[in-house]
Amino acid sequence: KNEVEQSPQNLTAQEGEFITINCSYSVGISALHWLQQHPGGGIVSLFMLSSGKKKHGRLIATINIQEKHSSLHITASHPRDSAVYICAVGGSQGNLIFGKGTKLSVKP
Amino acid sequence: GAGVSQSPSNKVTEKGKDVELRCDPISGHTALYWYRQSLGQGLEFLIYFQGNSAPDKSGLPSDRFSAERTGGSVSTLTIQRTQQEDSAVYLCASSLVQSVYEQYFGPGTRLTVT
């Protein structure tokens, strides 16, 4: 079993829809990261959180430490949100342990 | 303010040759990480540096892989006697200190072993 599980693997949405990507983990963590990777592009850190909820523009990330679960929400989705979203947890050494990613495609 | 830079951006090499990949972290960042993303696979951790020392080398896939960091800044990842399975995008990230700080990723080096 992977230490970090994401769902769904693939997600297609219509522009304007509310999107949720889920992440469950089985290891103790110092922090959880949500990353975004565009096709052919680099990786951008969206959020790093260890408790509660964070919001940046149309993106919201939540984490439940007791349940070892996090969600990434995108409100009013747009085609430019199309990317791979990766959940990663911080190990004790600071290195990241990654989920396999969720490929999001938002259709106009 | 420059971000993390990596060179080369692309490298094509013949099987059996050695390659060196370079990472320039953000100035002042003491923690540096190397990751690998193979085609169709997720990201995997290779090695991390705190300053010049590498307390965790557990992610290096074989003894053909080595890395060093000098002056607490630039790091090089060396792959000796490259194999086709080494083909991947090699990503470097840096953070202010380890563990609880955001990591900033470089653009990666795409390595193709023919």
Side-chain angles (χ1 to χ4, degrees), chain B residues 2-7 22-27 32 34 73-75 92 94 106:
Chain B
V4 179
S5 62
Q6 291 186 246
S7 61
R22 176 186 169 111
C23 171
D24 262 292
I26 291 172
S27 178
L32 185 148
W34 283 99
S73 181
V74 171
S75 176
C92 174
S94 71

Side-chain angles (χ1 to χ4, degrees), chain A residues 33-36 43-48, chain B residues 102-105:
Chain A
H33 303 247
W34 281 102
L35 310 169
Q36 181 191 55
I43 293 175
V44 174
S45 177
L46 298 174
F47 295 103
M48 187 182 77
Chain B
E102 184 175 358
Q103 293 189 19
Y104 295 83
F105 286 80

Side-chain angles (χ1 to χ4, degrees), chain B residues 83-99:
Chain B
Q83 303 293 312
Q84 286 186 329
E85 62 262 27
D86 299 334
S87 296
V89 176
Y90 289 82
L91 290 151
C92 174
S94 71
S95 70
L96 201 54
V97 292
Q98 67 167 103
S99 189

Side-chain angles (χ1 to χ4, degrees), chain A residues 6-7 15-16 24 27 33 39 51 61 70 74 76 95 97-98 105 108:
Chain A
Q6 277 185 246
S7 62
E15 183 173 357
S24 296
V27 294
H33 303 247
S51 66
S70 175
I74 305 174
N95 61 293
I97 304 167
F98 300 89
S105 178

